[in-house]
Amino acid sequence: MGEAYVMAARRTAGGKRGGALREWHPANMGARILDALVADSGIDPAAIEDVIMGCVSQVGEQSFHIGRSCVLASSLPDSVPAVTIDRQCGSSQQSLHFAAQAVMSGTQDVVIAAGVESMTRVPMGSPTMLAVKAGVGKGPWSPAILERYGVTQFSQFTGAEMIAADYQMAREELDAFALSSHRKAAEATREGAFEAEILPLDGVDREGNAICHDRDEGIREDASMEGLASLDPISEGGRITAGNASQICDGASGVMVVSEKALAEHGLTPLARIDALAVTAGDPVIMLMEPIPATARVLERAGRGHDDIDLYEVNEAFAPVPLAWLKETGADPERLNVHGGAIALGHPLGASGTKLMATLIHALRRRGGRFGLQTMCEGGGIANATIVEAL
């Protein structure tokens, strides 16, 4: 089996809901990422054989095949095909897996894996809510599924509360993790740690004035335990709040994946090599625990242990997720989300997979690390896990 290499990795700075990126059509936002990947690599855009675009809420401005729309809005020739996929929060991490598998198999040599989500212009849950309001069906879960699992709905908020209860995590522990995320993200921003990965975009401030959007908008440098403690729980008596959960976010991200043949033919120098891939699935009710077995699976596939991994990116969908992951894996917390995570930086759903990968690869190279592992929980009780080797 052939090798797959990451040639370029970029992301936009996160935009808060109704924030700096509110005027960007998601197709245009995704297009700028495609253009940046081509520019960074120096490759002929006509050599790109496919674009695999992750997107969760495929309705409205993200409907009618947002992947193809991103290509058509970009500088790529219209001969470049595209496909749009949905593996919930892991959509663009799965895009990366599909791209790597295509390259490893020898089927293709140059593939872009990317993701986009405007949670301002296409609010979370829009595909379900709009259909129900229009009288189209009764929702995504058949009565047979709900009866099988003894629930009336599947909720990530419920899953997060279940994890916190099962591991006896106090509200203060969750808030302390959230505060750490903000502090690490603020420090990384001050030190310029994100400069190599962030693609600046034209944005607007609160008054609508033009600005350069090159800083993650959700970072709270003034975050405090007192401020986090003042927030009401999402559910009565619960421990999950808006402060210890990921932020709603607008953004796009992507990576270019190429083969050894493409490296030679185009004279390319890669950033990283794909070391191992895995995807697992389990309990759809608690749903958010699956990064733990996915991590074990990908380490086994790679023939590596935690001592081999220099940095981890575990998506901060909710604070209990990475905290439970740490407790079960025994991984070094000092290697986890070293530049903060989605609690501070935002979670643009379909874009988060390649967003985290861009951060992981650039952090490894900046710190002189070798191997990095990325995993994230996904709706339905699924998780992707990826190991990369920085070059």
PDB file of all heavy atoms in Angstrom, residues 8-29:
ATOM      1  N   ALA A   8      -0.381  20.573   2.337  1.00  0.00           N
ATOM      2  CA  ALA A   8      -0.738  21.888   2.861  1.00  0.00           C
ATOM      3  C   ALA A   8      -1.912  21.712   3.815  1.00  0.00           C
ATOM      4  O   ALA A   8      -2.714  20.793   3.660  1.00  0.00           O
ATOM      5  CB  ALA A   8      -1.116  22.840   1.719  1.00  0.00           C
ATOM      6  N   ALA A   9      -1.998  22.595   4.813  1.00  0.00           N
ATOM      7  CA  ALA A   9      -3.068  22.505   5.816  1.00  0.00           C
ATOM      8  C   ALA A   9      -3.425  23.916   6.279  1.00  0.00           C
ATOM      9  O   ALA A   9      -2.572  24.629   6.820  1.00  0.00           O
ATOM     10  CB  ALA A   9      -2.622  21.650   6.998  1.00  0.00           C
ATOM     11  N   ARG A  10      -4.654  24.298   6.069  1.00  0.00           N
ATOM     12  CA  ARG A  10      -5.097  25.658   6.384  1.00  0.00           C
ATOM     13  C   ARG A  10      -6.473  25.671   7.026  1.00  0.00           C
ATOM     14  O   ARG A  10      -7.281  24.772   6.842  1.00  0.00           O
ATOM     15  CB  ARG A  10      -5.152  26.507   5.114  1.00  0.00           C
ATOM     16  CG  ARG A  10      -3.817  26.948   4.576  1.00  0.00           C
ATOM     17  CD  ARG A  10      -3.121  27.955   5.494  1.00  0.00           C
ATOM     18  NE  ARG A  10      -2.103  28.691   4.764  1.00  0.00           N
ATOM     19  CZ  ARG A  10      -2.072  30.017   4.672  1.00  0.00           C
ATOM     20  NH1 ARG A  10      -2.999  30.746   5.261  1.00  0.00           N
ATOM     21  NH2 ARG A  10      -1.108  30.598   3.999  1.00  0.00           N
ATOM     22  N   ARG A  11      -6.742  26.745   7.752  1.00  0.00           N
ATOM     23  CA  ARG A  11      -8.073  26.972   8.320  1.00  0.00           C
ATOM     24  C   ARG A  11      -8.321  28.470   8.414  1.00  0.00           C
ATOM     25  O   ARG A  11      -7.375  29.277   8.418  1.00  0.00           O
ATOM     26  CB  ARG A  11      -8.191  26.359   9.712  1.00  0.00           C
ATOM     27  CG  ARG A  11      -7.351  27.064  10.786  1.00  0.00           C
ATOM     28  CD  ARG A  11      -7.600  26.454  12.148  1.00  0.00           C
ATOM     29  NE  ARG A  11      -6.835  27.103  13.215  1.00  0.00           N
ATOM     30  CZ  ARG A  11      -7.282  28.104  13.965  1.00  0.00           C
ATOM     31  NH1 ARG A  11      -8.472  28.646  13.719  1.00  0.00           N
ATOM     32  NH2 ARG A  11      -6.545  28.611  14.947  1.00  0.00           N
ATOM     33  N   THR A  12      -9.574  28.835   8.476  1.00  0.00           N
ATOM     34  CA  THR A  12      -9.908  30.213   8.791  1.00  0.00           C
ATOM     35  C   THR A  12      -9.857  30.380  10.300  1.00  0.00           C
ATOM     36  O   THR A  12      -9.953  29.413  11.057  1.00  0.00           O
ATOM     37  CB  THR A  12     -11.319  30.584   8.315  1.00  0.00           C
ATOM     38  OG1 THR A  12     -12.283  29.817   9.048  1.00  0.00           O
ATOM     39  CG2 THR A  12     -11.493  30.324   6.832  1.00  0.00           C
ATOM     40  N   ALA A  13      -9.699  31.598  10.757  1.00  0.00           N
ATOM     41  CA  ALA A  13      -9.902  31.879  12.176  1.00  0.00           C
ATOM     42  C   ALA A  13     -11.390  31.727  12.468  1.00  0.00           C
ATOM     43  O   ALA A  13     -12.241  32.066  11.635  1.00  0.00           O
ATOM     44  CB  ALA A  13      -9.429  33.296  12.514  1.00  0.00           C
ATOM     45  N   GLY A  14     -11.715  31.194  13.627  1.00  0.00           N
ATOM     46  CA  GLY A  14     -13.121  30.973  13.965  1.00  0.00           C
ATOM     47  C   GLY A  14     -13.885  32.276  14.094  1.00  0.00           C
ATOM     48  O   GLY A  14     -13.381  33.258  14.647  1.00  0.00           O
ATOM     49  N   GLY A  15     -15.109  32.282  13.581  1.00  0.00           N
ATOM     50  CA  GLY A  15     -15.979  33.434  13.713  1.00  0.00           C
ATOM     51  C   GLY A  15     -17.149  33.110  14.625  1.00  0.00           C
ATOM     52  O   GLY A  15     -17.770  32.063  14.480  1.00  0.00           O
ATOM     53  N   LYS A  16     -17.432  33.955  15.569  1.00  0.00           N
ATOM     54  CA  LYS A  16     -18.567  33.717  16.466  1.00  0.00           C
ATOM     55  C   LYS A  16     -19.885  33.831  15.699  1.00  0.00           C
ATOM     56  O   LYS A  16     -19.948  34.431  14.628  1.00  0.00           O
ATOM     57  CB  LYS A  16     -18.548  34.726  17.619  1.00  0.00           C
ATOM     58  CG  LYS A  16     -17.340  34.597  18.539  1.00  0.00           C
ATOM     59  CD  LYS A  16     -17.400  35.567  19.703  1.00  0.00           C
ATOM     60  CE  LYS A  16     -18.451  35.125  20.709  1.00  0.00           C
ATOM     61  NZ  LYS A  16     -18.392  35.948  21.943  1.00  0.00           N
ATOM     62  N   ARG A  17     -20.940  33.249  16.244  1.00  0.00           N
ATOM     63  CA  ARG A  17     -22.253  33.365  15.614  1.00  0.00           C
ATOM     64  C   ARG A  17     -22.638  34.845  15.504  1.00  0.00           C
ATOM     65  O   ARG A  17     -22.628  35.584  16.482  1.00  0.00           O
ATOM     66  CB  ARG A  17     -23.305  32.605  16.438  1.00  0.00           C
ATOM     67  CG  ARG A  17     -24.712  32.738  15.889  1.00  0.00           C
ATOM     68  CD  ARG A  17     -25.675  31.794  16.564  1.00  0.00           C
ATOM     69  NE  ARG A  17     -25.636  31.890  18.017  1.00  0.00           N
ATOM     70  CZ  ARG A  17     -26.302  31.061  18.828  1.00  0.00           C
ATOM     71  NH1 ARG A  17     -27.033  30.080  18.334  1.00  0.00           N
ATOM     72  NH2 ARG A  17     -26.213  31.207  20.142  1.00  0.00           N
ATOM     73  N   GLY A  18     -22.928  35.262  14.279  1.00  0.00           N
ATOM     74  CA  GLY A  18     -23.255  36.661  14.047  1.00  0.00           C
ATOM     75  C   GLY A  18     -22.046  37.569  14.128  1.00  0.00           C
ATOM     76  O   GLY A  18     -22.186  38.787  14.235  1.00  0.00           O
ATOM     77  N   GLY A  19     -20.850  36.986  14.017  1.00  0.00           N
ATOM     78  CA  GLY A  19     -19.629  37.751  14.211  1.00  0.00           C
ATOM     79  C   GLY A  19     -18.948  38.159  12.924  1.00  0.00           C
ATOM     80  O   GLY A  19     -19.597  38.476  11.911  1.00  0.00           O
ATOM     81  N   ALA A  20     -17.628  38.100  12.931  1.00  0.00           N
ATOM     82  CA  ALA A  20     -16.822  38.685  11.855  1.00  0.00           C
ATOM     83  C   ALA A  20     -17.045  38.043  10.499  1.00  0.00           C
ATOM     84  O   ALA A  20     -16.841  38.681   9.464  1.00  0.00           O
ATOM     85  CB  ALA A  20     -15.342  38.614  12.228  1.00  0.00           C
ATOM     86  N   LEU A  21     -17.459  36.766  10.478  1.00  0.00           N
ATOM     87  CA  LEU A  21     -17.643  36.051   9.205  1.00  0.00           C
ATOM     88  C   LEU A  21     -19.113  35.972   8.785  1.00  0.00           C
ATOM     89  O   LEU A  21     -19.452  35.223   7.868  1.00  0.00           O
ATOM     90  CB  LEU A  21     -17.055  34.640   9.309  1.00  0.00           C
ATOM     91  CG  LEU A  21     -15.550  34.553   9.550  1.00  0.00           C
ATOM     92  CD1 LEU A  21     -15.111  33.099   9.674  1.00  0.00           C
ATOM     93  CD2 LEU A  21     -14.774  35.245   8.424  1.00  0.00           C
ATOM     94  N   ARG A  22     -19.972  36.761   9.399  1.00  0.00           N
ATOM     95  CA  ARG A  22     -21.413  36.639   9.164  1.00  0.00           C
ATOM     96  C   ARG A  22     -21.824  36.964   7.736  1.00  0.00           C
ATOM     97  O   ARG A  22     -22.872  36.499   7.269  1.00  0.00           O
ATOM     98  CB  ARG A  22     -22.198  37.513  10.144  1.00  0.00           C
ATOM     99  CG  ARG A  22     -21.970  39.008  10.008  1.00  0.00           C
ATOM    100  CD  ARG A  22     -22.739  39.790  11.078  1.00  0.00           C
ATOM    101  NE  ARG A  22     -22.582  41.233  10.988  1.00  0.00           N
ATOM    102  CZ  ARG A  22     -21.635  41.918  11.592  1.00  0.00           C
ATOM    103  NH1 ARG A  22     -20.728  41.277  12.313  1.00  0.00           N
ATOM    104  NH2 ARG A  22     -21.572  43.233  11.472  1.00  0.00           N
ATOM    105  N   GLU A  23     -21.022  37.733   7.016  1.00  0.00           N
ATOM    106  CA  GLU A  23     -21.393  38.104   5.648  1.00  0.00           C
ATOM    107  C   GLU A  23     -20.829  37.152   4.602  1.00  0.00           C
ATOM    108  O   GLU A  23     -21.061  37.336   3.411  1.00  0.00           O
ATOM    109  CB  GLU A  23     -20.936  39.540   5.361  1.00  0.00           C
ATOM    110  CG  GLU A  23     -21.676  40.573   6.211  1.00  0.00           C
ATOM    111  CD  GLU A  23     -21.342  42.000   5.832  1.00  0.00           C
ATOM    112  OE1 GLU A  23     -20.483  42.191   4.925  1.00  0.00           O
ATOM    113  OE2 GLU A  23     -21.923  42.927   6.424  1.00  0.00           O
ATOM    114  N   TRP A  24     -20.111  36.130   5.035  1.00  0.00           N
ATOM    115  CA  TRP A  24     -19.515  35.177   4.098  1.00  0.00           C
ATOM    116  C   TRP A  24     -20.492  34.061   3.757  1.00  0.00           C
ATOM    117  O   TRP A  24     -20.949  33.331   4.641  1.00  0.00           O
ATOM    118  CB  TRP A  24     -18.252  34.556   4.690  1.00  0.00           C
ATOM    119  CG  TRP A  24     -17.039  35.401   4.507  1.00  0.00           C
ATOM    120  CD1 TRP A  24     -16.621  36.428   5.317  1.00  0.00           C
ATOM    121  CD2 TRP A  24     -16.085  35.307   3.446  1.00  0.00           C
ATOM    122  NE1 TRP A  24     -15.469  36.984   4.818  1.00  0.00           N
ATOM    123  CE2 TRP A  24     -15.115  36.313   3.679  1.00  0.00           C
ATOM    124  CE3 TRP A  24     -15.952  34.475   2.331  1.00  0.00           C
ATOM    125  CZ2 TRP A  24     -14.024  36.506   2.828  1.00  0.00           C
ATOM    126  CZ3 TRP A  24     -14.870  34.666   1.490  1.00  0.00           C
ATOM    127  CH2 TRP A  24     -13.926  35.672   1.730  1.00  0.00           C
ATOM    128  N   HIS A  25     -20.806  33.916   2.467  1.00  0.00           N
ATOM    129  CA  HIS A  25     -21.525  32.735   2.020  1.00  0.00           C
ATOM    130  C   HIS A  25     -20.602  31.542   2.237  1.00  0.00           C
ATOM    131  O   HIS A  25     -19.402  31.613   1.928  1.00  0.00           O
ATOM    132  CB  HIS A  25     -21.879  32.870   0.537  1.00  0.00           C
ATOM    133  CG  HIS A  25     -22.825  31.826   0.030  1.00  0.00           C
ATOM    134  ND1 HIS A  25     -22.469  30.493  -0.107  1.00  0.00           N
ATOM    135  CD2 HIS A  25     -24.125  31.908  -0.378  1.00  0.00           C
ATOM    136  CE1 HIS A  25     -23.491  29.807  -0.570  1.00  0.00           C
ATOM    137  NE2 HIS A  25     -24.516  30.647  -0.740  1.00  0.00           N
ATOM    138  N   PRO A  26     -21.095  30.418   2.765  1.00  0.00           N
ATOM    139  CA  PRO A  26     -20.206  29.288   3.045  1.00  0.00           C
ATOM    140  C   PRO A  26     -19.459  28.771   1.826  1.00  0.00           C
ATOM    141  O   PRO A  26     -18.323  28.310   1.947  1.00  0.00           O
ATOM    142  CB  PRO A  26     -21.148  28.226   3.637  1.00  0.00           C
ATOM    143  CG  PRO A  26     -22.535  28.686   3.340  1.00  0.00           C
ATOM    144  CD  PRO A  26     -22.477  30.164   3.243  1.00  0.00           C
ATOM    145  N   ALA A  27     -20.063  28.843   0.636  1.00  0.00           N
ATOM    146  CA  ALA A  27     -19.357  28.393  -0.566  1.00  0.00           C
ATOM    147  C   ALA A  27     -18.133  29.256  -0.834  1.00  0.00           C
ATOM    148  O   ALA A  27     -17.069  28.756  -1.233  1.00  0.00           O
ATOM    149  CB  ALA A  27     -20.294  28.411  -1.773  1.00  0.00           C
ATOM    150  N   ASN A  28     -18.243  30.552  -0.603  1.00  0.00           N
ATOM    151  CA  ASN A  28     -17.110  31.446  -0.812  1.00  0.00           C
ATOM    152  C   ASN A  28     -16.025  31.216   0.237  1.00  0.00           C
ATOM    153  O   ASN A  28     -14.829  31.271  -0.064  1.00  0.00           O
ATOM    154  CB  ASN A  28     -17.574  32.903  -0.779  1.00  0.00           C
ATOM    155  CG  ASN A  28     -18.474  33.251  -1.949  1.00  0.00           C
ATOM    156  OD1 ASN A  28     -18.463  32.575  -2.975  1.00  0.00           O
ATOM    157  ND2 ASN A  28     -19.267  34.297  -1.803  1.00  0.00           N
ATOM    158  N   MET A  29     -16.468  30.956   1.471  1.00  0.00           N
ATOM    159  CA  MET A  29     -15.509  30.695   2.545  1.00  0.00           C
ATOM    160  C   MET A  29     -14.719  29.417   2.259  1.00  0.00           C
ATOM    161  O   MET A  29     -13.486  29.379   2.393  1.00  0.00           O
ATOM    162  CB  MET A  29     -16.263  30.591   3.878  1.00  0.00           C
ATOM    163  CG  MET A  29     -15.395  30.587   5.102  1.00  0.00           C
ATOM    164  SD  MET A  29     -16.301  31.059   6.610  1.00  0.00           S
ATOM    165  CE  MET A  29     -17.749  29.990   6.534  1.00  0.00           C
TER     166      MET A  29
END
